[in-house]
Amino acid sequence: MILKPWEQSLPVSAKRPQGRFVDLSAKVQQGFTLLELLVVMVIIGLLVGYVGPRYFAQIGKSEVKAALAQIDGFEKALEQYRLDVGKFPSNEQGLNALFVRPATEPRWQGPYLKKMPPPDPWGNPYVYRFPSANGDFEIISMGKDGAPGGEGEAADISK
């Protein structure tokens, strides 16, 4: 057996074996058992079950906040419209009078919005009422279900 210079000082048990085959039983097998994989999957499932509903509840809250912000913008534009024209748009003219000049309004100085009034965050049109029972005008989003009334995300939204 020919030893390299650095191998000459090693004890016999530490020297590399002669031959092409190495004993594989001496190596430690690596990997995960089926039981370990199942435990990890159960833990991930519990985390998703706990975090998922909280995450989707936040999405619903953000849509309500977006609807309130849009209604606030419409209210400011309607106040500017009233200052220029002298009255609020009729029910027939609706919120579109903030972007497109009504044929019957010679003092219109708009547009009062940068683009046509968008739908609410759920894709439903806003409801504009003039006059309303609550004051001069009322702007309502019917919520997620698009129908009057409801609870939670399906509740009507107005200021």
Side-chain angles (χ1 to χ4, degrees), residues 11-93:
V12 176
S13 62
K15 294 179 181 171
R16 64 184 167 102
Q18 296 294 316
R20 296 180 359 191
F21 299 105
V22 179
D23 185 15
L24 294 177
S25 64
K27 287 188 173 184
V28 178
Q29 290 186 355
Q30 296 178 348
F32 296 105
T33 65
L34 181 58
L35 182 60
E36 291 170 330
L37 290 173
L38 288 174
V39 168
V40 169
M41 290 182 69
V42 166
I43 291 171
I44 291 172
L46 289 172
L47 286 173
V48 168
Y50 179 73
V51 174
R54 293 176 185 266
Y55 173 74
F56 288 112
Q58 293 300 320
I59 292 175
K61 288 179 186 177
S62 66
E63 289 171 333
V64 170
K65 288 179 183 178
L68 288 170
Q70 285 180 331
I71 290 172
D72 186 53
F74 294 149
E75 288 176 348
K76 290 175 182 172
L78 284 166
E79 289 295 332
Q80 186 64 42
Y81 180 96
R82 184 186 61 81
L83 289 173
D84 289 347
V85 176
K87 61 181 180 170
F88 290 110
S90 66
N91 283 332
E92 294 77 30
Q93 294 169 333

Side-chain angles (χ1 to χ4, degrees), residues 63 119-127 129 140-157:
E63 289 171 333
D120 68 10
W122 299 279
N124 303 314
Y126 283 97
V127 176
R129 291 184 188 143
I140 303 169
S141 168
M142 295 296 176
K144 187 174 184 176
D145 64 352
E151 295 179 8
E153 289 182 39
D156 296 349
I157 301 167

